[in-house]
Amino acid sequence: MLPDLLNYGARILPGLLLIGASFALARAERDPLLRILTLVFGFVLVRDAMTPLGFWRLGTAGEVPWLRFTDQAGVLLVFALGTVAATAGVLCLDGGLRSLVRWGRLTPVTLACGLGGGVLAAAPVLLLSLPTPLSERGGAVAVTLLPVLLLFSLAGNLAEEVLFRGLLQGRLEQHAGAVRAAVLSALLFAACHVFLASTVTDVGWPLLAFTLYEGLICAFLRLRSGVIAAALAHGTAIFLLAGALV
């Protein structure tokens, strides 16, 4: 596990140094948009660099996308804890960004909306995948890995939702209006998967279609109930797809 993580760290370090320097210089700007875009670049780097090292795999069964994460529980735990720590660190250090995040209230209704949104996002992919044998769409996942995979899905996608639905959508709402900001955040979220879909992997348009669909669900959940609901929906959808439960 450790050699894989060290190799990953060496790959992303030069890019992270450049992004960190850009973020530090951008902190002098009153408008947080440049800092948000810098964080987006950082997130895309960290996510896409997982692919060549086998920390996750993406493919298609016909035109239906599938994904699987590494079966190394330790790696998933490191990524889960690391993304939560990085997210908390950014929000603690930058009050201007922190003020953009509308968390919403942690209520049974919020939890129900989040879980329902996750099922709604994953359902079309799962249903369209049913005619294809599991062996042709990533294979089975060990039952013992599922709890760690659930933690990873929720933690990793909390960071992503704070970035896209908390910071970006929150900033866009200041000038674009709530509904337009939601649609823009979904479009930009899908656009940030272009390289993953077209160069890092060969999944292509099915990945972009799914991320746009999922992004719209999460964006309007954020509009209605806050980032908590959006993050729960995103994490649930990824867990359902990656857990090979269907």
Side-chain angles (χ1 to χ4, degrees):
M1 179 186 83
L2 185 57
D4 290 337
L5 290 173
L6 290 175
N7 188 14
Y8 173 77
R11 278 176 175 260
I12 65 173
L13 181 59
L16 287 181
L17 290 174
L18 290 172
I19 289 165
S22 300
F23 185 84
L25 289 174
R27 290 197 67 184
E29 298 293 326
R30 295 183 61 184
D31 189 337
L33 184 59
L34 182 56
R35 301 200 298 280
I36 295 169
L37 294 178
T38 303
L39 292 174
V40 169
F41 290 143
F43 173 79
V44 171
L45 166 66
V46 169
R47 181 198 64 201
D48 289 3
M50 293 171 61
T51 312
L53 294 179
F55 290 146
W56 70 339
R57 295 176 294 127
L58 298 94
T60 54
E63 302 296 337
V64 183
W66 57 262
L67 76 156
R68 293 290 184 273
F69 291 97
T70 177
D71 59 2
Q72 298 184 70
V75 170
L76 294 178
L77 283 173
V78 168
F79 276 116
L81 297 177
T83 53
V84 170
T87 303
V90 168
L91 295 181
C92 287
L93 292 173
D94 196 316
L97 294 181
R98 186 170 63 248
S99 66
L100 294 172
V101 182
R102 184 167 70 81
W103 292 101
R105 297 175 60 193
L106 185 59
T107 65
V109 173
T110 298
L111 294 176
C113 288
L115 290 171
V119 172
L120 181 64
V125 175
L126 295 175
L127 291 174
L128 291 171
S129 297
L130 286 177
T132 304
L134 192 59
S135 60
E136 296 179 19
R137 45 188 173 93
V141 175
V143 174
T144 55
L145 188 67
L146 292 180
V148 179
L149 182 60
L150 177 60
L151 174 63
F152 169 81
S153 299
L154 293 174
N157 291 295
L158 169 65
E160 196 167 3
E161 287 304 305
V162 167
L163 178 57
F164 283 95
R165 250 59 69 177
L167 304 182
L168 183 59
Q169 189 168 332
R171 168 61 179 78
L172 291 172
E173 280 183 347
Q174 296 177 346
H175 298 280
V179 173
R180 188 178 176 194
V183 174
L184 275 170
S185 80
L187 288 168
L188 291 169
F189 172 71
C192 285
H193 289 78
V194 166
F195 293 110
L196 181 63
S198 303
T199 61
V200 182
T201 72
D202 59 358
V203 177
W205 72 264
L207 178 59
L208 299 181
F210 170 73
T211 52
L212 177 58
Y213 172 64
E214 180 191 40
L216 286 168
I217 291 173
C218 291
F220 281 95
L221 276 174
R222 150 60 177 80
L223 185 59
R224 181 190 185 281
S225 302
V227 170
I228 292 175
L232 184 57
H234 196 160
T236 299
I238 296 302
F239 175 71
L240 291 173
L241 295 177
L245 301 178
V246 176

